[in-house]
Amino acid sequence: MYSHRLIFSISILILYSCKQQPKHEEIALVETVEKTLFTASEVIEYKNFESKYVDTRHVEVFLPTGYDATSKEKYKVLYMHDGQNVFNAKTSYTGIDWGVDEAIDSLLGIQKIKKTIVVAPWNTVKKRFSEYMPKAPAALTSSPEAKATLKENTGYDDLYSDAYLKFLVEELKPFIDKTYNVSTKREDTSIMGSSMGGLISLYAICSYPEVFGAAGCVSTHWPVPVLGEAYIGTLPNTLPDPSTHKIYFDFGTKGYDAQYEPFQSHVDSIMSAKGYTEGANWITKKFEGADHNEKSWNDRVHIPLEFLLQ
């Protein structure tokens, strides 16, 4: 039964993941330069960032207007998945990016958020599903049936989300902490993504509650037959302490998002039972008419940013 349902699940998600491939194979990457003071915002791109845990990938770092490497005030850090879609319309697979750079600068300008840099590792396209699908519960995701189905449908017989999180926490974060004028405190470190990126963001704050103090889960793709419901079942025992963490969820009503409300309602009940207070350390928002794409996320990205980066 697991095998049959997993085949359906993974086939659907492969179709979505394949759409994440950039339109252009060759991406012009700007040269990284060292400066002590930035008077205008800037996106610095690190090409083929190496890892011992996962495949190499590009990593983009956004420094907001006025970024000061010598300031005594440390910057917050927001980690975002699907980095090719975050800042640049030319690399985004839909031709529309999230506009996070503009949103951060605007929110800083009206003093709605604290000073923040954004770190956005790209997805690797072929392994996007395998890296973003939580490997929990392990008894299911590592079963022979699951491995055989994953191999048949993705070309890989495992999920690599644990390895991806190790890359973020043990390799990328230390590099960012050393290179930029940022706080290393949990309360100043957030993580956010959409769809499968919403799942991995929640998995990150549950797996590394000592590292991430907040998670933004936008249009979270809960309805993965077998795997999705099984992962939701782990949340009562894995959600971090509500006294030290906060979590944002949202969903629209069109496209893939039209499926999400009953799953999100279930997750909301788990959040409440865990001791989270909606409107304080937890938010769930429904956006009527919003679709499952970068345009919709661009339209509302200021909302999770303001909640996470206050």
Side-chain angles (χ1 to χ4, degrees):
M1 179 176 69
Y2 280 162
S3 178
H4 175 74
R5 295 173 69 190
L6 280 168
I7 289 172
F8 172 78
S9 162
I10 295 168
S11 296
I12 293 298
L13 283 167
I14 288 173
L15 289 174
Y16 177 71
S17 294
C18 288
K19 292 179 180 178
Q20 297 293 311
Q21 187 168 6
K23 289 182 176 181
H24 308 290
E25 293 296 329
E26 297 294 329
I27 306 300
L29 296 171
V30 301
E31 180 182 358
T32 300
V33 295
E34 293 185 1
K35 295 183 180 180
T36 57
L37 179 67
F38 289 83
T39 57
S41 62
E42 182 169 354
V43 175
I44 297 175
E45 299 178 303
Y46 295 92
K47 187 176 182 179
N48 296 323
F49 195 99
E50 293 187 356
S51 168
K52 65 182 179 181
Y53 296 117
V54 295
D55 294 345
T56 60
R57 68 199 65 216
H58 302 331
V59 175
E60 300 184 357
V61 178
F62 168 71
L63 305 177
T65 297
Y67 171 78
D68 187 350
T70 64
S71 170
K72 292 183 179 180
E73 181 182 356
K74 300 294 184 179
Y75 286 71
K76 286 176 171 283
V77 185
L78 171 63
Y79 290 86
M80 291 192 66
H81 316 288
D82 295 317
Q84 54 263 64
N85 302 331
V86 175
F87 308 119
N88 191 345
K90 292 182 179 179
T91 58
S92 175
Y93 85 100
T94 61
I96 300 174
D97 64 282
W98 281 57
V100 171
D101 44 349
E102 293 95 338
I104 291 283
D105 267 343
S106 295
L107 290 169
L108 283 172
I110 57 176
Q111 299 181 337
K112 290 291 187 179
I113 62 173
K114 299 290 180 62
K115 293 180 178 179
T116 304
I117 76 168
V118 183
V119 181
W122 289 27
N123 70 60
T124 58
V125 185
K126 290 183 179 180
K127 285 187 176 179
R128 182 176 185 272
F129 172 80
S130 300
E131 289 186 340
Y132 290 2
M133 183 70 223
K135 193 175 182 177
L140 170 61
T141 62
S142 298
S143 69
E145 295 89 348
K147 284 181 171 292
T149 305
L150 285 167
K151 179 68 174 180
E152 180 179 353
N153 289 275
T154 70
Y156 307 100
D157 67 353
D158 205 352
L159 296 175
Y160 303 109
S161 48
D162 287 349
Y164 175 69
L165 293 184
K166 283 186 176 181
F167 157 65
L168 293 182
V169 171
E170 298 181 17
E171 296 176 326
L172 184 56
K173 186 178 186 296
F175 170 77
I176 296 298
D177 292 347
K178 181 181 179 180
T179 306
Y180 296 99
N181 184 22
V182 297
S183 170
T184 60
K185 296 178 181 179
R186 171 182 61 196
E187 59 265 32
D188 294 325
T189 308
S190 304
I191 191 163
M192 183 166 77
S194 63
S195 192
M196 296 296 295
L199 284 175
I200 192 63
S201 296
L202 184 61
Y203 192 44
I205 200 173
C206 291
S207 300
Y208 292 93
E210 74 283 6
V211 174
F212 300 106
C217 308
V218 177
S219 294
T220 309
H221 194 67
W222 303 112
V224 183
V226 181
L227 296 182
E229 292 184 6
Y231 176 59
I232 291 174
T234 70
L235 295 179
N237 295 321
T238 61
L239 282 170
D241 188 341
S243 69
T244 51
H245 294 77
K246 55 184 180 180
I247 302 175
Y248 171 95
F249 298 105
D250 74 21
F251 60 95
T253 58
K254 290 186 177 181
Y256 284 109
D257 279 38
Q259 309 171 48
Y260 295 164
E261 187 164 10
F263 295 92
Q264 188 62 59
S265 294
H266 183 192
V267 172
D268 289 350
S269 67
I270 295 173
M271 293 287 290
S272 181
K274 185 71 175 183
Y276 281 85
T277 302
E278 190 163 13
N281 52 11
W282 152 49
I283 286 179
T284 293
K285 285 187 173 291
K286 177 180 179 180
F287 293 93
E288 291 288 350
D291 208 337
H292 192 88
N293 53 39
E294 277 68 27
K295 182 182 181 305
S296 293
W297 303 326
N298 180 299
D299 288 343
R300 67 179 189 262
V301 70
H302 60 286
I303 298 173
L305 288 177
E306 185 172 344
F307 176 70
L308 298 176
L309 304 176
Q310 291 174 348

